[in-house]
Amino acid sequence: MKVIYSDIHLQHAPEFEIFEEEKIPHAEKPARIETIVNTLRKKDFTIIAPTSFEQTHINEVHNTYFVEFIKEKSEKMQKEQKTLYPSYYIIDTYTPILGGTYPASKAAVDVALTGAQLIASGEKTVYSLCRPPGHHAEHAKLGGYCYFNNAAIAANYLSKKGKVAILDIDFHHGNGTQDIFYERDDVLYVSIHADPKVKFPYSTGFSEEVGVGKGKGYNKNYPLPLGITDEQYGAILKKALGDISAFTPDYLVISLGFDTYEKDPISGFLLTIPFYQEIGKAIQGVGVPTLVVQEGGYAIDALGSMADSFLQGLTS
Ligand code: SP5
Ligand code: ZN
């Protein structure tokens, strides 16, 4: 199985996020992806560098001025060797722009699109090791450690070749992906996540959000209370995969977060490492070509084992 990885992500290394005026160490660290790729290198995976795609793929999903904003602010920070905590085009105070942010975010999009291209040309499963993550990035807003929405850009690319379902199993609701596809019926978005009443992104991810216009019925949220166990999660995953099968997609995009893990430092579910294999197996059971896009997951020491467990299930 092919794994797409670019070391350009290392250029984006924010030191702090701001939580209610307090500067705290940034959870979204370069070591996250390094530990996963190093684990997979020791196993039977082919690690491939991405090819560079035109920026038009980003502009089909994001507002042009927003894309320019990230690029220009990042170039400015590169020159001044500073960090910007933006005041607009943003939903929170966790997502600073640094000199390396644009190159890393563009490379993450290339990692996702290279995976999508392989899936479109007949590959059954591909794992795109994107960093920074993407699912909180909306049409014209960054946030939640996300700049460009890698999974949404890949799904939009695949939507030109067939029907696409996105399953988002990050701990947090993918407000960005929901926003981007909310009025579309050719891309189904299904998300399992923590109750937004208690966890980020707070303002979206409720079950009443079902899409609008012709997109009505093509957005499905499963918000769950904190403390969810493997067994409880498995039951909800089965329902979510049922929604996806009923849609009869040609392609499946997984927004994969490992922040559902019991020891994740910022989250609150109780999933165990062996259970990721069961998740992979259940997804494999849908029988649709699948692009896996990395999102969150912050328990750095366990990320390699989680990825290994998940991929064993996915390729079983
Ligand atoms: C991609 C992804 O998983 N983004 C998640 C962003 C959520 N960030 C939440 C940060 C919460 C910080 N909590 C600090 C509590 C201090 N008392
Ligand atoms: Zn998350």
Side-chain angles (χ1 to χ4, degrees), residues 80-96:
E80 297 173 8
Q81 287 298 299
K82 280 175 32 190
T83 299
L84 172 73
Y85 289 84
S87 297
Y88 53 94
Y89 284 135
I90 192 159
I91 65 167
D92 59 38
T93 51
Y94 314 149
T95 318

Side-chain angles (χ1 to χ4, degrees), residues 152-269:
I153 294 164
N156 182 59
Y157 173 95
L158 288 169
S159 75
K160 290 169 192 170
K161 321 196 185 262
K163 278 163 72 181
V164 183
I166 303 171
L167 174 65
D168 191 328
I169 51 172
D170 187 277
F171 173 80
H172 304 94
H173 177 242
N175 58 289
T177 314
Q178 169 168 303
D179 173 61
I180 287 162
F181 296 112
Y182 210 56
E183 297 184 29
R184 285 174 61 169
D185 63 359
D186 59 330
V187 178
L188 171 72
Y189 179 67
V190 180
S191 179
I192 306 172
H193 50 265
D195 184 352
K197 281 203 286 291
V198 291
K199 283 287 180 180
F200 184 83
Y202 304 107
S203 34
T204 61
F206 299 97
S207 51
E208 305 82 61
E209 297 156 17
V210 295
V212 294
K214 71 176 162 52
K216 198 170 176 187
Y218 296 91
N219 193 89
K220 178 92 189 168
N221 286 323
Y222 288 98
L224 303 177
L226 300 186
I228 287 294
T229 61
D230 291 344
E231 203 185 342
Q232 291 167 326
Y233 194 93
I236 303 295
L237 178 65
K238 210 170 154 192
K239 281 196 201 177
L241 290 173
D243 298 334
I244 285 169
S245 294
F247 177 70
T248 60
D250 298 296
Y251 303 105
L252 180 56
V253 174
I254 306 293
S255 264
L256 175 64
F258 290 128
D259 38 10
T260 46
Y261 173 52
E262 57 180 342
K263 291 178 190 146
D264 189 90
I266 70 167
S267 302
F269 287 172

